[in-house]
């Protein structure tokens, strides 16, 4: 009898994860994501030069994003703002900072939309603001702007995939990977790879 109850319990748990959840998880949602991102210049994580200054791109940086979207069956569409921590240069005579922000329109396709878990794929387009500044150190009266601000807005596209777990019918936990192409910087191309985890709540 004990073995029978144990087997029945295991089957019930597996069935709960295999069966679809209720459809009330459709509708407007808000999402919050965080993870690590690595910028890459021309496919080689080396450095970029801005008027003689050098910025290294070999560090993993923090990223945080917020999203507002709508879900209907297999599909999710959302607007997302992505903030990424800055990269500092290693020149002892200057303070150099390089950072990026992205404004994205994303589309997701959930393979098993009403299951307790579902793999998904996603794609997005938008704009990335690339900010660079450089200041001299140790000058009278404080730091002086050395090479000015480099602040373009580039077209950006992204693709990715991940896995979503339904904690309740309205609360989901996601984990995934995304690749970004952020356009050109001077004579080079900038892209980024991102690993993240996040939560979504359907109103």
């Amino acid at each position: 009898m004990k073995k029978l109850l144990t087997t029945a319990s295991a089957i019930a748990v597996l069935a709960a994860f295999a069966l679809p959840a209720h459809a009330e998880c459709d509708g407007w949602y808000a999402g919050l994501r965080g993870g690590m991102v690595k910028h890459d210049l021309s496919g080689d994580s080396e450095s970029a030069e801005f008027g003689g200054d050098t910025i290294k791109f070999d560090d993993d940086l923090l990223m945080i994003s917020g999203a507002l979207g709508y879900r209907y069956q297999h599909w999710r569409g959302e607007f997302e703002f992505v903030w990424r921590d800055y990269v500092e240069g290693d020149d002892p005579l200057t303070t150099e900072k390089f950072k990026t922000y992205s404004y994205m329109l994303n589309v997701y396709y959930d393979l098993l939309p009403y299951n307790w878990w579902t793999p998904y794929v996603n794609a997005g387009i938008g704009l990335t603001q690339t900010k660079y500044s450089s200041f001299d150190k140790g000058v009278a009266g404080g730091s002086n702007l050395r090479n000015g601000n480099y602040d373009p807005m580039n077209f950006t596209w992204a693709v990715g995939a991940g896995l979503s777990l339904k904690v309740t019918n309205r609360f989901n936990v996601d984990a995934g990977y995304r690749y970004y192409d952020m356009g050109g910087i001077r004579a080079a191309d900038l892209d980024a790879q991102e690993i993240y985890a996040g939560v979504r709540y359907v109103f």
Side-chain angles (χ1 to χ4, degrees):
M1 178 62 70
K2 186 176 181 181
K3 290 182 179 180
L4 181 60
L5 289 174
T6 301
T7 302
S9 299
I11 292 174
V13 170
L14 291 174
F17 277 90
L19 290 175
H22 296 298
E24 63 184 79
C25 56
D26 285 345
W28 291 98
Y29 68 84
L32 181 66
R33 302 179 181 111
M36 303 301 294
V37 61
K38 185 172 185 177
H39 292 93
D40 208 31
L41 193 71
S42 296
D44 184 12
S45 298
E46 292 294 338
S47 63
E49 290 191 359
F50 298 86
D53 296 331
T54 299
I55 295 290
K56 297 293 185 181
F57 285 85
D58 55 359
D59 294 329
D60 293 328
L61 303 175
L62 173 68
M63 62 75 56
I64 299 174
S65 78
L68 180 64
Y70 189 86
R71 174 178 178 171
Y72 180 69
Q73 296 183 0
H74 289 273
W75 296 96
R76 286 184 275 140
E78 67 178 31
F79 170 77
E80 179 185 27
F81 171 73
V82 186
W83 172 89
R84 304 177 184 90
D85 198 6
Y86 62 85
V87 185
E88 278 195 299
D90 57 2
D91 189 334
L93 301 178
T94 62
T95 298
E96 305 156 280
K97 291 185 178 180
F98 175 88
K99 53 187 175 182
T100 59
Y101 309 100
S102 292
Y103 308 84
M104 303 295 295
L105 290 174
N106 301 318
V107 175
Y108 294 80
Y109 184 81
D110 294 321
L111 277 68
L112 304 169
Y114 298 136
N115 279 37
W116 290 107
W117 61 271
T118 177
Y120 62 82
V121 293
N122 64 279
I125 58 172
L127 296 173
T128 293
Q129 187 175 14
T130 304
K131 298 180 70 69
Y132 169 78
S133 61
S134 177
F135 293 83
D136 285 325
K137 292 180 179 178
V139 298
S143 298
N144 286 342
L145 188 62
R146 181 181 182 190
N147 290 314
N149 291 315
Y150 181 67
D151 191 11
M153 187 79 78
N154 291 340
F155 174 77
T156 299
W157 59 266
V159 292
L163 185 67
S164 180
L165 172 66
K166 189 185 305 298
V167 180
T168 71
N169 286 332
R170 296 186 179 276
F171 183 71
N172 299 267
V173 176
D174 301 330
Y177 163 86
R178 290 191 289 198
Y179 169 84
Y180 290 90
D181 186 311
M182 299 178 176
I185 299 182
R186 300 288 172 90
D189 293 322
L190 179 68
D191 57 35
Q193 298 188 66
E194 173 186 288
I195 297 175
Y196 66 88
V199 294
R200 283 182 292 118
Y201 182 80
V202 180
F203 301 111

